[in-house]
Amino acid sequence: LALFLCRHFLPDEWPARKTLFCIIGGGILLRALFCFLHPPSNDLYRYIFEGYVQTQGINPFIHGPQELFATYGTGPMASIAEQINHPELSAAYPPLSQLLFRITAWISPTVPAFKLLMAGADCFALILLGLWAHKRSIPLKNLLFYAANPLILAYLSGEAHLDALQVLALSATLYMFGSKRTALAFLVLGCAILFKYFAVIFVPFFLNRHNARHAPLLLVPALSVLPFLDAGTSLFASLSTFGTQM
């Protein structure tokens, strides 16, 4: 109800730039508040631990956190390790996400760093959605339903779920297709899939006979699997477990 009221009272006579500035600026402020004040999900601790062990030369698709606690679950990692759900299972998140976890953990294997990663991704997604809506002449006031949606704020910026990366890549895909940058759009859509496999369901909505020649670029981000190939079929073992038993 509050979102509908805000949308209703946002002045129609404002120029597009001012409307975008207010909605995006307010959305970023809300994301900052949720990032720093809302408790993270348990998933975040797995992101941190799996990123950290990669910096130590460990393939998280082969070894579950429980196997590594004795060596890597001590010191500053102790408080992270004890928060991980299902520590007996190896990594289930896609390779491109894992590489981003590794980079972030190399910089700082901490909760604030990983929360900033997810909140920042959602902020950039909001900006891209605003630019896309403006380009498509969609009423900019509708952007409020994403910018100030409490579920999105809590789930992506507050709890810091991996979906923020997928949403960013999908928002970039929309913007690239809207800008007629079809090849780049398919490349970014491939990134969305390798951030979280669920994004593959969006491919039929973008693919048509006019742009099919660029579709093979979807496969380029699959190169992110190369550092983890020694895991073999274990690449998907935990994903299968989570999908069928959890």
Side-chain angles (χ1 to χ4, degrees):
L1 178 61
L3 284 175
F4 278 101
L5 288 174
C6 288
R7 184 191 182 282
H8 176 74
F9 288 108
L10 197 65
D12 291 316
E13 63 272 14
W14 277 6
R17 181 174 294 182
K18 185 175 181 180
T19 302
L20 276 176
F21 179 81
C22 288
I23 294 176
I24 292 175
I28 291 174
L29 177 60
L30 286 171
R31 280 155 178 78
L33 290 173
F34 271 79
C35 178
F36 289 107
L37 300 179
H38 196 287
S41 71
N42 287 104
D43 290 346
L44 186 71
Y45 298 100
R46 180 176 279 272
Y47 305 161
I48 297 170
F49 193 82
E50 290 179 353
Y52 175 74
V53 297
Q54 285 181 70
T55 66
Q56 306 302 305
I58 303 297
N59 186 335
F61 289 102
I62 297 177
H63 304 283
Q66 197 169 66
E67 298 177 54
L68 305 170
F69 283 167
T71 305
Y72 302 105
T74 58
M77 282 292 108
S79 60
I80 301 296
E82 65 186 18
Q83 300 286 340
I84 298 174
N85 280 331
H86 306 292
E88 73 281 2
L89 296 177
S90 58
Y93 304 112
L96 193 56
S97 293
Q98 291 292 345
L99 290 178
L100 198 53
F101 297 163
R102 178 176 184 168
I103 293 169
T104 308
W106 178 74
I107 296 170
S108 178
T110 61
V111 169
F114 275 73
K115 289 197 78 174
L116 280 172
L117 170 67
M118 303 306 175
D122 195 31
C123 287
F124 279 109
L126 175 61
I127 293 170
L128 288 169
L129 287 173
L131 295 174
W132 172 76
H134 181 50
K135 186 179 289 288
R136 295 294 299 271
S137 299
I138 296 172
L140 295 178
K141 293 199 295 185
N142 291 343
L143 188 61
L144 271 172
F145 293 117
Y146 185 86
N149 188 306
L151 291 177
I152 292 172
L153 290 169
Y155 192 74
L156 299 187
S157 295
E159 296 186 1
H161 284 281
L162 173 62
D163 304 71
L165 303 176
Q166 177 184 248
V167 170
L168 172 59
L170 289 173
S171 300
T173 299
L174 277 174
Y175 182 76
M176 295 302 172
F177 272 114
S179 303
K180 308 300 182 186
R181 301 181 212 176
T182 308
L184 188 56
F186 275 113
L187 182 63
V188 177
L189 180 56
C191 290
I193 297 168
L194 268 296
F195 279 137
K196 200 162 186 182
Y197 298 124
F198 181 80
V200 73
I201 69 168
F202 294 101
V203 173
F205 296 99
F206 293 110
L207 183 63
N208 58 53
R209 61 187 178 87
H210 301 294
N211 61 30
R213 69 185 185 278
H214 296 300
L217 290 169
L218 280 167
L219 302 176
V220 173
L223 294 173
S224 61
V225 77
L226 293 178
F228 308 105
L229 277 180
D230 56 323
T233 56
S234 295
L235 279 166
F236 303 102
S238 290
L239 181 66
S240 175
T241 302
F242 276 111
T244 57
Q245 300 178 26
M246 302 296 175

